[in-house]
Amino acid sequence: MVKNIFFVATCILLTSCSDKYQEIVNSKDEYQIIPIPENLTIAKGRFLVNEDTKIVYDTSLVQEAEYLSDLFATVLDIDLSIGSLDTENGNILLELDPTIDHKEGYTLSVAHDAILISGKTAAGVFYGIQSLRQLLPAEIEKANNLKELTIPAVTIEDSPRYAYRGMHLDVGRHFFPVTSVKKYIDLIAMHKMNTFHWHLTEDQGWRIEIKKYPRLTEIGAFRKGTAIGLAGTRNAPYTYNDVPYGGFYTQEEIKEVIAYAAAKHITIIPEIELPGHSLAALAAYPQFGNGGGPYEVAKRWGIFKEIYAPTEETFGFLEDVLNEVMALFPSKYIHIGGDEVLKKEWEESAYAQEVIQREGLKNEHELQSYFIRRIEKFVNKNGRNIIGWDEILEGGLAPNATVMSWRGVEGGIAAAKQSHPVIMTPGTHCYFDYYQVDEEKQGEEPLTGSKRHTSVEKVYAYEPTPESLTSEEAKYILGAQGNVWTEYMPTWDVVEYRVLPRMTALSEVVWSSKKNRDWEDFQNRLQHIVKRYDVLDYNYAKHSINDK
Ligand code: ACM
């Protein structure tokens, strides 16, 4: 606080603190922030940003200061100077404030003569900057040659409702380059979400370089063709193109993406699917399957009977892979999949049946639990925790597992009742591969595999904490996530279209308090944020924006 008083007092002496802007009455239209802040008080006056503006910061906030300076540099034909608060004076101050309650909370004050952004942590300050960004016209996102701009005065106190605010991306069914992944991360950051769940392995492609097993990407990252249209769904015949398809991220690229996300306070959770959804890995290393192969990287969508064998060799392989994954990703969580595991191969495998006998297991569901528990033990030994899809409840949960509830919310409820952390991603509200419109209008949309649909309004109405939980149990609901399965998203354009603006709605579900959520008001604010999407060249479902 002492620093603040000193800062405001010195600011008055600076030329950029213009009185001319002190009495301006601002339009309410200028305060259209998504996700809606906890408290926002509109004030009189505007802050002028020009060549005299200077950003000063607590030394640990240099990254945030540079980020803010870059934001202004995009639109202004000037580089704002920045400096440490310890030695220099300025009129935009970024500081850490230990008196703020919430780890990710912030306060933002814009007055005619000063801007102050305080956070409990650097993440809070970053979110304060994101709110400041939305007080500026969308054009600031684009290179421009302005000499100055002004920001309407405001006081905001804000913090998130949920600790886990995620977006998922399946790069197995279709592969997207680093530039697209970064654009996705930018979007996550703009919406004050903090987790990117990167689904890196699938039947149709293994996408992460593993040095000890080069065939995973030499063989596993490429398929010989791809199913056309609805192949196999709604009675459509299986037809394929024979266009080779594939791609993967080198470890250097992975590091680059992790650092890019970290600078925006986003944790990346890698997902390595096991024991199912593993056909691409088995095509590369058939010795880890139940049948010896040969296997082929899948060309169609759906679920495959081929899964990992529960052998010591397979566990050794998976541990080696996870070692390299954990060396790359600093995330506390490693997602190990666990969904949609057909048990036929284990039923028919003499070896798998032997393991069931040896370990005193009842059936193949318990064998899956045994499989997951062994992997969990290894991951825990390395100081990390596992997340698994809700099938990991079947046959008994691994002791420290977090559950991602996707087949509805029942799995999440069961896990919370067993005192396990839960992330809600129910298909009904959080699957952004579904159509956004009802069946009559689906013919006008990019094709997707199912007729199910989830409108923006439905996402907005989602309540991640089930009513049936006691307040003690409800504490295990960490938050929610939008899932983006890409079978029917062959190009990046379609990914953006499916995600926006449903992700915009979800960001408010996971950040804002329930009492502040208002569908009508959200629709108004949505019309403002899409201008930003336009300038930033994001594709989105325009029919979901209610023009007024
Ligand atoms: C899933 O959608 N199979 C998790």
Side-chain angles (χ1 to χ4, degrees):
M1 264 310 143
V2 175
K3 272 181 189 169
N4 287 353
I5 293 160
F6 170 72
F7 155 74
V8 173
T10 52
C11 171
I12 290 165
L13 303 173
L14 288 174
T15 52
S16 68
C17 302
S18 168
D19 286 344
K20 189 168 99 185
Y21 293 99
Q22 198 167 347
E23 294 303 321
I24 293 177
V25 175
N26 301 304
S27 148
K28 191 167 172 283
D29 252 18
E30 287 193 87
Y31 303 88
Q32 304 287 336
I33 297 173
I34 294 179
I36 192 158
E38 184 63 15
N39 289 303
L40 181 153
T41 311
I42 293 175
K44 233 171 29 177
R46 299 184 78 82
F47 178 89
L48 173 70
V49 185
N50 64 11
E51 70 269 11
D52 296 325
T53 306
K54 179 155 186 176
I55 301 168
V56 288
Y57 54 88
D58 266 337
T59 43
S60 62
L61 297 173
V62 60
Q63 193 170 275
E64 286 64 39
E66 282 169 359
Y67 176 84
L68 180 57
S69 170
D70 287 349
L71 210 58
F72 286 128
T74 306
V75 68
L76 297 174
D77 192 21
I78 43 175
D79 283 329
L80 291 196
S81 58
I82 66 172
S84 165
L85 179 59
D86 293 336
T87 53
E88 297 176 57
N89 299 323
N91 49 1
I92 299 182
L93 168 65
L94 309 184
E95 63 156 21
L96 293 178
D97 179 353
T99 68
I100 292 174
D101 282 341
H102 197 289
K103 199 165 72 127
E104 294 177 291
Y106 71 91
T107 60
L108 164 64
S109 149
V110 178
H112 78 282
D113 55 357
I115 294 178
L116 175 60
I117 303 177
S118 310
K120 175 118 180 162
T121 60
V125 171
F126 184 77
Y127 298 136
I129 293 171
Q130 293 308 321
S131 288
L132 181 70
R133 179 180 177 189
Q134 291 191 41
L135 293 174
L136 292 161
E139 289 68 34
I140 66 127
E141 308 287 350
K142 186 168 58 185
N144 224 315
N145 289 315
L146 300 184
K147 293 285 177 227
E148 58 181 47
L149 55 87
T150 62
I151 308 176
V154 74
T155 308
I156 293 175
E157 290 167 357
D158 199 11
S159 59
R161 180 177 174 201
Y162 289 102
Y164 187 106
R165 305 181 300 281
M167 284 299 293
H168 151 284
L169 181 66
D170 163 19
V171 294
R173 273 55 177 264
H174 284 103
F175 174 76
F176 304 101
V178 166
T179 46
S180 301
V181 175
K182 285 184 173 172
K183 206 175 166 203
Y184 198 62
I185 288 168
D186 291 344
L187 210 47
I188 295 172
M190 194 202 297
H191 293 83
K192 302 191 178 84
M193 295 173 103
N194 61 5
T195 309
F196 170 38
H197 170 179
W198 205 357
H199 185 83
L200 284 163
T201 70
E202 258 308 334
D203 298 303
Q204 297 83 4
W206 181 282
R207 305 293 178 215
I208 174 173
E209 177 191 25
I210 300 293
K211 305 258 191 212
K212 191 159 179 182
Y213 298 94
R215 286 171 60 87
L216 283 173
T217 44
E218 284 166 14
I219 305 292
F222 299 90
R223 58 179 181 252
K224 292 189 177 132
T226 300
I228 294 171
L230 289 171
T233 67
R234 301 187 223 162
N235 301 321
Y238 282 104
T239 51
Y240 301 89
N241 66 34
D242 54 5
V243 182
Y245 182 92
F248 66 92
Y249 308 102
T250 64
Q251 292 203 354
E252 282 314 303
E253 287 174 320
I254 297 260
K255 284 182 203 164
E256 181 189 330
V257 173
I258 293 168
Y260 187 82
K264 293 177 158 63
H265 299 280
I266 292 164
T267 300
I268 304 184
I269 297 178
E271 181 177 356
I272 304 297
E273 276 268 21
L274 57 91
H277 286 291
S278 47
L279 193 46
L282 293 176
Y285 294 97
Q287 64 267 41
F288 304 129
N290 293 282
Y295 304 100
E296 196 180 305
V297 180
K299 300 194 303 185
R300 65 164 177 88
W301 321 128
I303 305 174
F304 295 83
K305 71 175 190 335
E306 292 84 359
I307 63 174
Y308 289 125
T311 60
E312 293 311 305
E313 291 72 21
T314 305
F315 285 115
F317 160 73
L318 290 170
E319 290 178 7
D320 287 342
V321 167
L322 289 168
N323 268 333
E324 290 196 32
V325 168
M326 288 187 284
L328 287 166
F329 291 89
S331 162
K332 177 178 101 176
Y333 285 121
I334 305 295
H335 201 306
I336 51 76
D339 61 320
E340 300 181 321
V341 182
L342 299 180
K343 306 296 190 307
K344 192 170 187 314
E345 282 200 339
W346 285 351
E347 283 163 16
E348 291 172 356
S349 148
Y351 183 83
Q353 292 304 315
E354 217 178 283
V355 177
I356 289 176
Q357 291 291 318
R358 186 189 76 206
E359 299 296 327
L361 306 172
K362 277 207 208 71
N363 51 33
E364 291 72 24
H365 289 293
E366 289 199 359
L367 179 55
Q368 155 134 341
S369 279
Y370 165 80
F371 203 110
I372 303 283
R373 281 196 176 105
R374 274 194 66 161
I375 295 293
E376 180 187 64
K377 219 179 206 171
F378 177 75
V379 170
N380 287 169
K381 212 172 69 194
N382 285 277
R384 316 294 182 91
N385 285 345
I386 63 160
I387 301 179
W389 298 108
D390 59 48
E391 286 93 331
I392 67 167
L393 280 149
E394 295 162 3
L397 263 183
N400 304 310
T402 293
V403 171
M404 212 166 242
S405 189
W406 73 280
R407 297 176 302 174
V409 297
E410 290 70 25
I413 291 170
K417 285 186 183 294
Q418 294 175 44
S419 306
H420 281 255
V422 171
I423 296 149
M424 285 297 193
T425 67
T428 48
H429 294 78
C430 295
Y431 269 41
F432 296 165
D433 48 323
Y434 292 3
Y435 282 113
Q436 308 196 36
V437 293
D438 60 28
E439 212 176 318
E440 284 158 38
K441 298 193 190 124
Q442 288 173 2
E444 296 157 32
E445 295 284 292
L447 182 74
T448 195
S450 153
K451 285 181 182 170
R452 287 175 289 200
H453 65 102
T454 299
S455 65
V456 186
E457 187 171 3
K458 187 170 178 187
V459 176
Y460 193 76
Y462 181 52
E463 173 50 41
T465 302
E467 270 179 15
S468 61
L469 295 181
T470 64
S471 57
E472 248 341 278
E473 290 162 352
K475 288 182 187 150
Y476 289 99
I477 308 295
L478 303 182
Q481 171 176 286
N483 286 347
V484 183
W485 302 104
T486 59
E487 289 92 335
Y488 293 87
M489 302 186 206
T491 61
W492 185 250
D493 226 31
V494 182
V495 174
E496 291 180 358
Y497 183 86
R498 295 265 189 246
V499 163
L500 294 173
R502 288 187 285 200
M503 169 189 181
T504 323
L506 187 66
S507 77
E508 196 148 305
V509 170
V510 288
W511 177 281
S512 305
S513 61
K514 221 167 147 180
K515 72 172 172 24
N516 278 343
R517 267 160 59 190
D518 177 321
W519 169 241
E520 288 277 317
D521 183 59
F522 174 77
Q523 282 179 294
N524 287 333
R525 284 179 288 115
L526 193 52
Q527 289 180 55
H528 285 80
I529 206 166
V530 298
K531 290 182 196 150
R532 216 162 284 272
Y533 300 159
D534 282 328
V535 174
L536 288 166
D537 199 23
Y538 283 105
N539 191 21
Y540 58 94
K542 297 192 174 50
H543 55 66
S544 294
I545 315 300
N546 188 5
D547 286 330
K548 287 204 172 141

